Amino acid sequence: MQIFNPVKAILEKDAVKNHKSLMNFSGKCALIVTGRNSAKKTGALYDVLDVLKEHGKEWIIFDEVTENPGFDLITKGLDFLGSKKADAVIGIGGGSPIDASKAISVLHANRNSSFEDIYKNPNLEAVPVFAVPTTSGTGSEMTQYSVLTNKDNVKSGFTNFNTFPKVSFVDPKYTLDMPWNITLSTAVDAFSHSAEGYMCISADSYIKNIAENSMKAVKENLENIKNKDSLELRTGLSFGSMTAGYVISHTGTVLPHSLGYGLTSEYGIKHGLATFLFIIPVLKRLYDKNIKFDFVNNIFGSLKNMENYFDKLEINDYRVKISDEHIDLFSERVSKSGHVLKTPGNFTKKDIEELYLEVSL
Ligand code: NAP
Ligand code: ZN
């Protein structure tokens, strides 16, 4: 058994304000990486700026991160920084800005390195990364991963052990006004991380325990938020996201994540929903092979109940018709991915094609 996750993570309302001394770094200037609006709208950006001001730091704000950041976007961020030196990179927003921060951090610390290099070498140096999530799902605040879209419009993650955030300030108040579709997509992303971590062939009882608690938190809080939002329920989802991130920082993700990537890149389905569409179909296939998981009964009572729970949340409304060409292309790609090797059940290319056909309208 091996455990390694060096992130100092704080889950608390007003986390940035309450732990000012932790939003600090040696050197003078921070690069702040955000999306267009939510960092400002939620107030997260201003909380960070207030603290940097108190510490006498300077900052540069790159606020152009879009969903599913691509290589071009990362290059744009580096060009924006130009010859200036960033001593820390602070990602504020959903998984996209936090992942972009990690990529910019590594490429800024290794100015002669290429994207190919960062995918090959998980130990390249990086500028310290700080994370301030405004969604509750990707777990990027707890991981050494950054998922980018390459020039061929293919999503894939790179690992860099120096991009585990130095500190993650997880303040659930930033997620209070998140619309239902983003709440649902990010919550089922967290659920999928823990479910996949649990399914992973290398998962031990320590990781399974954390994964089960994480899924329980998502289940119990998500179903209530639709009726009556509250900081307490949002804190539950942030807990689900962080713990699920902790899980995948040890196991990585398995088959459903690699199945979902094509639906996001080619059909625009949000990452969490695209992944979750495959969770129950994959579980059913494993159950048919008599490969079962205790978390299903412990949390839902049965696989059928689990299916009903998510049906009620209308997850299946997000399905699309997947073209035959894409089914062919995605199945080929997924069958060669490392995710399959970490998934029990020996899924073949034919099984994978069948999963796409099952999820397609
Ligand atoms: P996101 O792509 O970061 O953001 C999606 C949308 O949500 C954006 O329009 C964003 O607006 C908005 N938003 C963010 N916070 C909000 C808030 N509090 N209220 C209202 N709107 C808000 O979404 P995400 O699902 O968090 O991240 C998905 C990305 O993370 C994918 O690229 C996925 O592959 C990656 N991921 C990474 C890991 C990892 O371990 N590194 C794991 C899973 C997924 P703005 O643009 O204005 O900010
Ligand atoms: Zn994910």
Side-chain angles (χ1 to χ4, degrees):
M1 170 166 153
Q2 285 189 25
I3 298 297
F4 180 66
N5 187 309
V7 180
K8 168 111 185 161
I10 296 154
L11 168 62
E12 176 178 316
K13 180 174 176 286
D14 300 325
V16 174
K17 260 191 237 164
N18 294 347
H19 298 273
K20 291 177 187 170
S21 62
L22 296 176
M23 180 61 88
N24 213 344
F25 49 87
S26 48
K28 221 169 51 183
C29 184
L31 173 69
I32 298 178
V33 178
T34 75
R36 274 276 171 226
N37 303 305
S38 57
K40 299 180 192 91
K41 269 199 191 152
T42 57
L45 175 65
Y46 306 113
D47 287 347
V48 169
L49 296 186
D50 283 348
V51 174
L52 293 181
K53 233 179 275 169
E54 277 192 38
H55 291 320
K57 301 291 183 190
E58 294 170 8
W59 60 82
I60 304 166
I61 301 175
F62 177 62
D63 64 0
E64 296 186 39
V65 180
T66 44
E67 287 186 49
N68 309 303
F71 288 3
D72 289 352
L73 190 276
I74 303 303
T75 306
K76 198 171 176 188
L78 291 161
D79 290 347
F80 176 82
L81 193 54
S83 59
K84 294 185 205 97
K85 180 172 177 284
D87 302 299
V89 183
I90 306 175
I92 308 176
S96 299
I98 297 176
D99 284 3
S101 309
K102 294 176 179 176
I104 292 174
S105 147
V106 182
L107 288 168
H108 183 57
N110 302 275
R111 291 185 187 221
N112 295 322
S113 294
S114 62
F115 284 102
E116 208 174 276
D117 297 330
I118 68 173
Y119 274 81
K120 270 194 205 142
N121 184 351
N123 294 302
L124 281 175
E125 277 193 33
V127 174
V129 173
F130 292 80
V132 185
T134 63
T135 62
S136 45
T138 71
S140 186
E141 67 274 17
M142 298 300 292
T143 71
Q144 68 280 40
Y145 311 125
S146 165
V147 184
L148 303 178
T149 302
N150 72 15
K151 299 227 181 286
D152 299 321
N153 204 26
V154 177
K155 266 174 94 79
S156 80
F158 75 86
T159 298
N160 182 300
F161 294 103
N162 298 312
T163 65
F164 271 115
K166 191 164 179 258
V167 187
S168 283
F169 299 87
V170 186
D171 184 342
K173 81 169 182 243
Y174 301 141
T175 66
L176 269 171
D177 292 326
M178 205 158 55
W180 173 247
N181 68 329
I182 302 179
T183 301
L184 178 66
S185 169
T186 50
V188 296
D189 190 19
F191 189 95
S192 303
H193 295 155
S194 282
E196 292 179 37
Y198 196 111
M199 286 182 223
C200 179
I201 53 175
S202 70
D204 52 37
S205 57
Y206 169 78
I207 283 297
K208 286 183 179 175
N209 245 316
I210 297 171
E212 188 170 316
N213 279 327
S214 159
M215 285 184 272
K216 222 180 258 168
V218 173
K219 185 231 172 202
E220 285 168 4
N221 293 288
L222 181 61
E223 63 190 341
N224 292 322
I225 278 179
K226 213 172 176 182
N227 309 322
K228 190 174 175 291
D229 211 344
S230 74
L231 187 69
E232 197 189 338
L233 296 174
R234 292 289 177 176
T235 305
L237 288 188
S238 294
F239 170 85
S241 168
M242 287 167 72
T243 44
Y246 181 86
V247 166
I248 58 166
S249 73
H250 294 94
T251 60
T253 51
V254 299
L255 187 57
H257 260 70
S258 57
L259 287 163
Y261 283 154
L263 298 195
T264 300
S265 309
E266 301 295 341
Y267 293 87
I269 302 180
K270 286 194 180 299
H271 165 73
L273 294 164
T275 304
F276 189 83
L277 285 175
F278 294 97
I279 288 281
I280 288 172
V282 166
L283 277 173
K284 279 186 176 167
R285 280 178 174 259
L286 290 169
Y287 270 52
D288 288 345
K289 294 180 184 177
N290 213 20
I291 301 171
K292 300 188 177 178
F293 303 97
D294 289 345
F295 81 82
V296 173
N297 277 12
N298 293 346
I299 301 175
F300 297 97
S302 69
L303 187 54
K304 187 71 204 148
N305 287 353
M306 177 175 166
E307 193 175 6
N308 290 343
Y309 171 91
F310 287 104
D311 277 353
K312 268 198 222 139
L313 296 175
E314 296 167 346
I315 293 280
N316 285 318
D317 289 6
Y318 296 90
R319 287 165 53 193
V320 291
K321 165 93 187 113
I322 313 170
S323 73
D324 291 347
E325 293 73 29
H326 277 136
I327 291 183
D328 226 37
L329 178 74
F330 298 163
S331 306
E332 176 69 17
R333 200 182 281 156
V334 172
S335 64
K336 290 187 178 144
S337 73
H339 295 76
V340 180
L341 302 174
K342 297 194 294 171
T343 312
N346 299 317
F347 283 82
T348 62
K349 185 174 174 229
K350 188 168 166 288
D351 297 324
I352 291 168
E353 277 167 6
E354 285 170 11
L355 282 164
Y356 277 117
L357 285 169
E358 191 178 330
V359 162
S360 175
L361 282 179

